[in-house]
Amino acid sequence: CKDNKIAIKFNEFVEWNNPNQNVIISPFIDGEILTKIHGKTVFIQPRNGFLPDKTYTIQLNNAIKDFNEGNILPSYSHKFSTGNQLDSSNVRIQLKNIEKEDATDALIVFCKDKNSFFEKRYEYISMASKGQALFDNLDAKSYYLFAFLDSNFNKKWDGNEVKDMYDNSVFHFDVLMESMFKSLSESGALDNTIILITSDHGESLLEHNYLGH
């Protein structure tokens, strides 16, 4: 990292493929990310610079393609530190669409607290690919984790990008109930079982910018 600029050299001539959408820097850097290319070397420079004593990961997800044939590099990451050591904690995350029962892609962010999410003060950030996301080179602190569909690719949560939370919560409960009824039926205990459903609290799903119970 020199002059707050990262240079990555490839073994053939390359060009950018939607870098504003496909380049992700973690820990999160607010502000414009400048991207340039010269021959076989790509340059990445946050306008606001890198913070000192941080371990950074740069994700290039479909961001690079070779100049001659246009083949896209699906995934590439580059790690470096602006301090004297690399942080080494890691977390692997799998996202799944409960209703469709398949993998889903979303932007995942780590925040110090719930308010930081709504104020867009993220710590770490990653984009899931085929439902999988790996955060490595993390520090050892505790964080809240949020995932959302970044429909406009600005790497920030906008109020309309978390959808159907009530429907999804009810659907998840329905799936659990279906599994329980099926087990009771298969065991022959359903006809002799009384089922009571109650609750001791409710869920707040983004009313007044609050998420929790």
Side-chain angles (χ1 to χ4, degrees), residues 22-41:
N22 296 327
V23 176
I24 295 179
I25 300 179
S26 181
F28 178 69
I29 296 178
D30 198 5
E32 185 182 7
I33 306 297
L34 305 176
T35 56
K36 296 177 61 178
I37 198 161
H38 182 72
K40 300 178 181 180
T41 304

Side-chain angles (χ1 to χ4, degrees), residues 37-136:
I37 198 161
H38 182 72
K40 300 178 181 180
T41 304
V42 299
F43 298 92
I44 302 169
Q45 182 179 19
R47 184 175 293 278
N48 295 331
F50 295 103
L51 296 175
D53 300 319
K54 289 282 189 179
T55 299
Y56 282 93
T57 299
I58 296 178
Q59 286 181 279
L60 304 180
N61 298 328
N62 300 311
I64 297 294
K65 58 183 179 181
D66 73 78
F67 184 79
N68 293 320
E69 299 180 2
N71 296 322
I72 295 177
L73 179 65
S75 179
Y76 176 86
S77 63
H78 178 77
K79 303 173 180 63
F80 66 96
S81 175
T82 56
N84 296 321
Q85 65 181 25
L86 284 171
D87 293 325
S88 58
S89 297
N90 64 83
V91 175
R92 185 178 296 274
I93 298 170
Q94 181 175 357
L95 298 178
K96 187 176 182 180
N97 185 310
I98 298 175
E99 183 175 4
K100 297 181 180 179
E101 296 187 354
D102 60 3
T104 187
D105 293 347
L107 194 71
I108 304 171
V109 297
F110 283 35
C111 300
K112 289 183 177 179
D113 51 51
K114 294 179 181 179
N115 287 335
S116 296
F117 174 72
F118 299 108
E119 295 168 359
K120 301 177 178 60
R121 292 184 288 109
Y122 311 140
E123 299 299 319
Y124 295 96
I125 182 173
S126 180
M127 174 62 74
S129 176
K130 298 180 180 179
Q132 300 283 338
L134 174 64
F135 287 83
D136 53 7

Side-chain angles (χ1 to χ4, degrees), residues 141-155:
K141 300 177 182 177
S142 297
Y143 295 98
Y144 286 84
L145 186 153
F146 297 87
F148 58 93
L149 300 177
D150 186 25
S151 56
N152 60 3
F153 305 108
N154 67 349
K155 303 179 182 67

Side-chain angles (χ1 to χ4, degrees), residues 182-194:
K182 182 178 180 180
S183 297
L184 289 172
S185 179
E186 291 176 349
S187 68
L190 181 60
D191 292 338
N192 299 317
T193 300
I194 297 176

